[in-house]
Structures are given as C-alpha cells and as structure tokens.
Amino acid sequence: MCSSDLENVDLFRRLGRALRPGGVLAVIEPIRVEIRHGAGQFAALGELYFGLTSRSGTWTASDLARWQRDAGLDCASPLSELGDGSLSLRIATKTLSRAVPAPPCPP
C-alpha cells in the first residue's frame, strides 16, 4: 500500500480503470485492528513493525472496502481473515454493467 490515504484512493482508482469488465482485484494486506476491537499480539507486533519499517503503516478493513468501492468495484466476497486475523484477503470485481447499484462493501 501507499503511504497516505489519498495515494491509496488514487492507486485503487487506477487499478479499477485498468480492469476489464468482470476483472478481479485481490488484496492481501496486514490489517490494523479497528479501535473498537481488541488487538491480538501478532496484529500489535505487525503494526509496530510496519510503523517502524515503512512509511505506510497498516490500514483497516474499512479503509480497504472504501478504496475498492470508490474505485467502482463490487465486493466479490466478504473479508476473509488469514492466520490469526491480522491479515486479510479482500476480493472485488469490476461489474459487466452498472444497471443496478452494487451493495456496499462490508468492512
């Protein structure tokens, strides 16, 4: 991911434009725990690691859902947690046509 929210918005919009109708965008990313949820040890260490070694840090599942939705993509599946839940897989698709608005991506 990029180092700022605006850069990620731009990245996802470019990816959304690059996809053909029916194309798939899959994102596997360490997830920062939402403030209202408790953090596991691995998630907390991941946040510390990415905070120290990269300018981007980690992002929340809500951030990923928003970037995909804003890029005009539809959620193909709910958020899948990998391992202890600190990694996520989020899959979105570019629809063939936009006759009916897509439901929002759940965080």
Side-chain angles (χ1 to χ4, degrees):
M1 293 296 170
C2 299
S3 61
S4 76
D5 184 71
L6 290 175
E7 289 174 336
N8 285 323
V9 168
D10 180 59
L11 171 65
F12 276 73
R13 285 188 179 150
R14 287 185 286 135
L15 291 168
R17 284 192 307 265
L19 286 174
R20 293 181 181 166
V24 175
L25 173 65
V27 177
I28 297 175
E29 181 71 11
I31 291 297
R32 184 176 74 227
V33 177
E34 304 276 352
I35 294 172
R36 64 183 177 274
H37 298 122
Q41 182 179 13
F42 184 76
L45 288 173
E47 181 66 21
L48 176 62
Y49 172 79
F50 284 105
L52 293 173
T53 61
S54 117
R55 290 183 13 219
S56 70
T58 57
W59 303 95
T60 66
S62 297
D63 293 327
L64 292 175
R66 179 174 45 86
W67 298 329
Q68 288 179 329
R69 182 183 59 247
D70 291 350
L73 303 174
D74 298 327
C75 290
S77 66
L79 178 73
S80 298
E81 295 182 349
L82 307 175
D84 71 347
S86 58
L87 285 176
S88 77
L89 168 65
R90 183 171 295 276
I91 299 172
T93 60
K94 186 170 186 174
T95 57
L96 299 174
S97 68
R98 183 68 65 181
V100 177
C105 293

